[in-house]
Amino acid sequence: MNTTIRAARAILLMGGSIAAFQLVGTAALAQTSDATVTDIDDADPEGANTGIATIVVTATKRTEDLQKVPIAISAISGDELTARGITDTSDLMGTLPNLQVTSAYSETQPNFSLRGIGVANEFSAATASPVGVYVDEVYQSFRASHGQQLYDLERVEVLRGPQGTLFGRNTTGGAINFITRKPELSGSNGYLTLGYGNFNRVFAEGAIETALVDDVFGVRIAGTYVDADGYTFNPTLNQDFAETNSFAGRVTFLLEPIPDFSMTLKLYGARSNPRQDLPYGIGYLEGRTDAAGYSRFAPRPELGGRLLEEDEVQADTAGRYFTDSYGAALTVEGRLTDDLTLTSIVGYDEATFDLSPFDCDGSPNDVCAIRYNSQSSNLNFDTRLSFDDGGPFRAIIGGYFGVDSIDTVNEPDFFGFLRPLLLGAGVPAEFNNIPIAVGNSIGTLPAFALDPTLAITDPGFCAPVVVNPNGFFDARSLIAFNADVAATNSAGGTAVQTACAAAGAPPFGPILARQEFTIERPSIAVYGEGVLDITDQLSLTVGLRYTDDAVRFKNGSSVLFDLGGENAFASTVPYEFPLTGRPERVNEEESTGEITGRIILDFEVTDDILLYASYSRGYRAGTYNALAYQDISQVYFVDPEEVNAYEIGFKGQFANNTLQFNAAGFYYDYTGQQIAQIIGATSFLRSADGRLFGGEAELTWQPADFIRLDAALGYLNSEYQGNEIDPDEPSALTLNINGNDFPNAPELTFNAGLELVPLDDGRNKLTLRGDASYMGEYFFDPFGDYGQDPCDQPVAGSNVLLATPELACGNPAYWLFDARVTYERDDFSLSVWGRNLTDKFYYVYGLNLNAFYQDYLTRGAPRTYGVEASVRF
């Protein structure tokens, strides 16, 4: 190589790396983050003329044919995303084997699950997903911003299984990588797509790029806008909900001043602000009523005695899912020598998530509402050195630093319907008998709760028994209410409450609280992986990574407000009653170090057939039980979760590369999975052990240019086992999950797509595509049937369900069907499309809220259809 070019390259690479380090230093002054990495590029885009197009990926941080990579990986190109009508992350559900995308908040804050490994039923914005999400090799820690990536993409890559070597923490399930389009450094080009659909859906997406200096410097600008009316009508507020309202944009600069050196700078931003997707609140008392006596399945007097329609939800209050994010990423890559390549990547982003308020009861009564407000900052720096001299050994070594910080303010507002009732009855606004019946707050119990032999007619049945002189809550009325519910299976029973009222028990009031905390997670790691070609056909891959993580719970506090909602009278985190002045703040920190890695043995039977076997170890960082607000004892650290995964796989191409078939089988040994259990009005994180095994297969068949068939099948068998339950602890407080399935882990998933081109004369082209997907039955949380056998009947000795059949009996299996017709002429195309063509009603998320004797569920999108026109220039 020319000495001058070598020197110039070294100087430029050093300067780019220094710039990356400087950006790290500057951003670190603001905050800190989490990280992980991956690369993907297309190769041979014209390859479709000779069979199935070859896809080159760098998911192993080396450029390789996807069919030669000995891991379970799938890739969907940007053109294929368009052909399938995939425009948001929820559309990815059902497109690949063993992939699910669910959410408590519709398109906002999607939860990815791979092979049954996901965030389960934990809904805190501060919770990191065990499926790592990356955009151009930059880790995205804040789940609320995961739904803002699907536009102007080169492709989406999905890596199934633990990715603990080259990616690191929070990848026990796998990794999903969104790769954006970059400038081509040749001339100018662009496209514009406009669309309109039902629910007045307006869609626009476009990009334009130009080479400011051919082959040296270029810029690409891309953006998207979507606005649609809601598909859920709220007759109480006379408004449509479940809207779509978002826009996003990015600018990408690419500089390649000399051969084998490049700098890419990306600036981006996105904002979403739709009316929330209203949850379907379903009670599990008599008549499917909740704690306030409401049932969506009974004729509604306030609606003239009619029943609610399937697409209607009565909610007394509802807010918007406001999310915005913006950031920058800088990638510097170049060869130091013919054998060594240095890559440095730095990314920084900030995001805001506001949901104020979120109606969590789905009824016209003010039973359950929460205001969620979170702000995130996320910094990542990854640098690696790759060695490849063309011989039998190649290797990568690297280091990573990242830190993310999430500032959260939550405002629970529970049993709010009691406020006007009590104030109207003359109870003073300073009244503060708030039903926090745990820990330091509880002060007084009724005698019958301590002595079950007491009958309601006995003297002293509801006499006050002080169990904690420093507590403020007299729990007699609350316990009496629950006793009446248990006896009558309804919110209408009054016998025990009447007896307690006669004994002087004060009523309980609504819960209005303000919870504040910051979760900060700095992480540092070193990693390395080597590949040795033992023979021309047999290769061994060994990777190892050490990660040092800290988790900081900072400035935590929770305060309670009196009946009037104006004055804070007590602090629960930390405990102080009566509250005088500003409460103290809680600060805790835990650190862990983890070793992860993998070993892969692969054998190339022929140039077209690859066999592999692997062992890999991944982990998800520990965390705090952040959503707990009722007592300081609820703020505790949950240890990291770990998975040991064993996999065998096959990848093959046949019939002159017109048939491609990949398959894998796997077994997971899972330790310490982080799951949530709702007890009363508080979320508790638990650790759970279990095992999982299954398989998946993908088929692509393209016998001719005018026909293509894609199909995928996934199978899962999961079970929690080996979890110990304290025999002295009431079963309702720690449900036994042994023998239950993992959540979001259907036994069978299937998808298939057929694409036909009946017309292609070189200028005019007509493409017909149909897709079908099957989602097998699965559970929304780890608690299975909640001990109910049969699943829709109370447990023996009880009159009251612990969960609705919608949760306890499992989410029924369902099929979805999509179609798209596209006509192309020169640089113009026109498409007609439809999704969920049969208008199937189905749920995608469910959460147990036993404090309100109800569950809430989020539905999937109904039938949508529309037309799109595109022009390329």
Side-chain angles (χ1 to χ4, degrees):
M1 180 185 294
N2 182 280
T3 303
T4 302
I5 293 179
R6 278 183 185 272
R9 179 177 299 149
I11 292 170
L12 284 169
L13 189 58
M14 183 179 296
S17 295
I18 291 173
F21 274 108
Q22 287 176 334
L23 182 53
V24 170
T26 302
L29 292 176
Q31 284 297 350
T32 15
S33 170
D34 240 318
T36 341
V37 185
T38 203
D39 292 290
I40 298 173
D41 294 301
D42 255 335
D44 187 22
E46 307 298 329
N49 295 327
T50 58
I52 300 170
T54 300
I55 300 177
V56 172
V57 301
T58 55
T60 58
K61 306 198 181 171
R62 290 179 293 269
T63 301
E64 296 179 280
D65 180 349
L66 182 144
Q67 289 299 107
K68 305 296 184 182
V69 179
I71 62 174
I73 178 174
S74 302
I76 305 177
S77 70
D79 291 340
E80 191 173 355
L81 292 171
T82 299
R84 296 190 185 190
I86 297 173
T87 58
D88 63 65
T89 49
S90 62
D91 294 336
L92 290 171
M93 185 164 177
T95 61
L96 296 170
N98 291 328
L99 169 66
Q100 278 198 307
V101 186
T102 63
S103 177
Y105 313 122
S106 189
E107 297 174 7
T108 302
Q109 194 170 302
N111 301 328
F112 296 101
S113 178
L114 284 170
R115 293 177 172 175
I117 307 302
V119 79
N121 59 327
E122 171 57 46
F123 52 90
S124 170
T127 299
S129 171
V131 176
V133 176
Y134 303 84
V135 180
D136 295 329
E137 301 201 42
V138 177
Y139 176 58
Q140 308 294 300
S141 70
F142 194 48
R143 290 189 296 124
S145 63
H146 286 178
Q148 301 180 318
Q149 312 300 342
L150 288 182
Y151 68 99
D152 197 44
L153 294 182
E154 187 67 33
R155 75 171 31 79
V156 178
E157 231 182 45
V158 178
L159 292 75
R160 295 183 291 276
Q163 304 297 319
T165 303
L166 300 178
F167 290 80
R169 66 173 183 171
N170 301 337
T171 55
T172 47
I176 298 178
N177 309 285
F178 299 93
I179 297 87
T180 64
R181 295 188 185 274
K182 300 173 180 60
E184 297 175 357
L185 301 185
S186 176
S188 300
N189 65 80
Y191 72 93
L192 176 64
T193 300
L194 299 175
Y196 182 78
N198 63 329
F199 301 109
N200 290 317
R201 182 181 186 270
V202 176
F203 171 77
E205 180 181 316
I208 186 170
E209 72 168 68
T210 185
L212 302 176
V213 180
D214 280 349
D215 302 320
V216 175
F217 183 51
V219 59
R220 184 177 183 88
I221 303 172
T224 183
Y225 170 82
V226 188
D227 184 81
D229 295 340
Y231 51 75
T232 301
F233 179 65
N234 183 348
T236 300
L237 299 180
N238 194 32
Q239 287 180 324
D240 290 320
F241 285 81
E243 294 179 332
T244 300
N245 178 270
S246 64
F247 62 90
R250 74 172 73 97
V251 181
T252 305
F253 301 93
L254 176 60
L255 175 66
E256 295 183 355
I258 59 175
D260 297 325
F261 174 85
S262 68
M263 293 181 66
T264 304
L265 175 63
K266 182 183 67 177
L267 309 173
Y268 59 91
R271 175 169 290 191
S272 180
N273 193 30
R275 287 199 189 104
Q276 72 167 86
D277 192 355
L278 296 176
Y280 283 66
I282 301 177
Y284 45 81
L285 299 178
E286 181 70 26
R288 310 203 80 183
T289 58
D290 62 17
Y294 172 81
S295 172
R296 66 169 284 108
F297 302 103
R300 301 309 312 162
E302 64 274 17
L303 300 179
R306 70 174 178 88
L307 291 170
L308 284 176
E309 300 290 339
E310 191 175 60
D311 62 352
E312 290 183 312
V313 173
Q314 289 181 282
D316 63 294
T317 184
R320 291 182 175 270
Y321 291 141
F322 176 82
T323 305
D324 76 350
S325 60
Y326 56 90
L330 175 66
T331 301
V332 181
E333 184 172 48
R335 287 186 180 274
L336 299 178
T337 70
D338 289 340
D339 305 333
L340 294 175
T341 300
L342 180 65
T343 303
S344 294
I345 302 168
V346 62
Y348 178 77
D349 62 79
E350 294 187 359
T352 299
F353 172 57
D354 291 328
L355 177 48
S356 297
F358 173 67
D359 184 290
C360 40
D361 59 79
S363 81
N365 303 314
D366 185 5
V367 176
C368 176
I370 305 180
R371 294 170 179 83
Y372 294 111
N373 302 275
S374 293
Q375 291 185 317
S376 166
S377 61
N378 184 25
L379 172 68
N380 299 274
F381 180 78
D382 193 289
T383 187
R384 63 181 182 265
L385 188 65
S386 303
F387 168 79
D388 188 350
D389 64 354
F393 179 73
R394 50 202 176 275
I396 291 175
I397 59 172
Y400 164 77
F401 169 76
V403 58
D404 70 306
S405 180
I406 300 175
D407 300 318
T408 295
V409 178
N410 294 329
E411 296 179 340
D413 186 356
F414 302 147
F415 303 110
F417 70 93
L418 295 174
R419 187 172 291 110
L421 295 177
L422 294 175
L423 290 172
V427 177
E430 296 77 22
F431 180 74
N432 57 25
N433 197 39
I434 307 302
I436 305 297
V438 295
N440 293 291
S441 300
I442 192 164
T444 305
L445 296 176
F448 73 84
L450 301 175
D451 183 2
T453 64
L454 288 174
I456 195 170
T457 56
D458 291 340
F461 170 75
C462 200
V465 179
V466 177
V467 294
N468 176 17
N470 295 318
F472 61 78
F473 178 47
D474 185 332
R476 288 181 290 165
S477 292
L478 176 64
I479 294 175
F481 170 75
N482 288 324
D484 281 331
V485 170
T488 65
N489 193 23
S490 76
T494 60
V496 182
Q497 295 172 83
T498 300
C500 284
F508 64 90
I511 300 175
L512 181 61
R514 179 180 175 90
Q515 178 198 32
E516 300 180 46
F517 66 90
T518 295
I519 294 290
E520 188 175 82
R521 298 176 284 218
S523 178
I524 188 168
V526 292
Y527 60 88
E529 183 169 271
V531 181
L532 176 64
D533 295 330
I534 301 172
T535 70
D536 289 343
Q537 295 176 286
L538 184 66
S539 297
L540 175 67
T541 301
V542 178
L544 200 64
R545 185 183 187 110
Y546 176 77
T547 305
D548 184 83
D549 278 323
V551 183
R552 300 164 183 159
F553 182 86
K554 300 172 59 176
N555 298 319
S557 76
S558 293
V559 297
L560 300 178
F561 294 86
D562 60 19
L563 179 64
E566 297 295 330
N567 301 306
F569 72 90
S571 168
T572 54
V573 179
Y575 186 74
E576 183 182 348
F577 174 77
L579 179 62
T580 57
R582 180 182 175 89
E584 295 182 15
R585 298 284 173 150
V586 175
N587 291 275
E588 297 188 11
E589 180 175 352
E590 291 283 348
S591 297
T592 57
E594 296 288 337
I595 296 176
T596 55
R598 65 182 177 186
I599 301 174
I600 307 172
L601 193 64
D602 65 271
F603 182 71
E604 196 169 359
V605 180
T606 69
D607 287 343
D608 297 323
I609 298 176
L610 178 71
L611 302 175
Y612 68 88
S614 69
Y615 161 78
S616 57
R617 186 170 187 268
Y619 95 105
R620 180 186 182 192
T623 189
Y624 279 91
N625 186 43
L627 281 182
Y629 68 93
Q630 294 189 350
D631 193 71
I632 184 63
S633 64
Q634 298 170 350
V635 179
Y636 54 82
F637 181 72
V638 181
D639 289 331
E641 63 183 42
E642 299 173 354
V643 61
N644 292 302
Y646 308 85
E647 182 171 324
I648 56 174
F650 169 91
K651 294 188 175 185
Q653 295 172 301
F654 309 95
N656 195 28
N657 195 30
T658 61
L659 178 66
Q660 182 173 292
F661 179 74
N662 298 340
F666 49 87
Y667 178 88
Y668 288 4
D669 182 9
Y670 221 107
T671 303
Q673 186 185 43
Q674 298 164 16
I675 64 174
Q677 180 177 341
I678 308 298
I679 302 175
T682 304
S683 175
F684 291 84
L685 285 183
R686 295 172 49 185
S687 292
D689 298 343
R691 65 101 184 108
L692 179 149
F693 64 84
E696 56 216 9
E698 293 180 279
L699 171 72
T700 302
W701 181 46
Q702 188 169 343
D705 289 345
F706 61 84
I707 184 171
R708 178 186 174 101
L709 173 68
D710 305 287
L713 176 70
Y715 168 76
L716 290 174
N717 185 301
S718 61
E719 182 178 297
Y720 288 108
Q721 52 186 222
N723 298 284
E724 297 182 0
I725 303 297
D726 186 346
D728 296 326
E729 189 173 71
S731 60
L733 296 183
T734 306
L735 294 172
N736 186 359
I737 64 173
N738 287 329
N740 293 344
D741 294 346
F742 284 23
N744 301 319
E747 186 175 45
L748 286 176
T749 56
F750 173 77
N751 65 274
L754 179 62
E755 190 170 294
L756 300 173
V757 184
L759 171 66
D760 188 357
D761 60 11
R763 187 178 184 188
N764 301 282
K765 183 178 180 181
L766 182 65
T767 303
L768 313 177
R769 182 175 179 94
D771 290 278
S773 63
Y774 171 81
M775 188 65 62
E777 179 183 301
Y778 65 94
F779 290 90
F780 291 121
D781 62 32
F783 307 110
D785 60 13
Y786 282 75
Q788 299 172 175
D789 187 14
C791 59
D792 59 351
Q793 299 296 318
V795 298
S798 174
N799 294 323
V800 181
L801 291 169
L802 296 176
T804 61
E806 282 79 2
L807 262 67
C809 297
N811 195 39
Y814 59 88
W815 284 90
L816 297 178
F817 301 93
D818 306 332
R820 191 177 186 91
V821 179
T822 301
Y823 169 74
E824 298 173 76
R825 181 181 177 89
D826 299 327
D827 293 324
F828 173 80
S829 66
L830 181 68
S831 298
V832 178
W833 58 272
R835 297 184 63 83
N836 188 8
L837 294 174
T838 62
D839 202 20
K840 175 68 177 178
F841 184 94
Y842 61 102
Y843 294 117
V844 296
Y845 182 89
L847 186 68
N848 180 249
L849 297 177
N850 50 67
F852 314 109
Y853 293 100
Q854 69 144 86
D855 298 334
Y856 91 66
L857 298 104
T858 303
R859 68 170 293 187
R863 176 170 51 224
T864 54
Y865 50 86
V867 60
E868 289 178 359
S870 297
V871 60
R872 297 185 178 274
F873 48 87

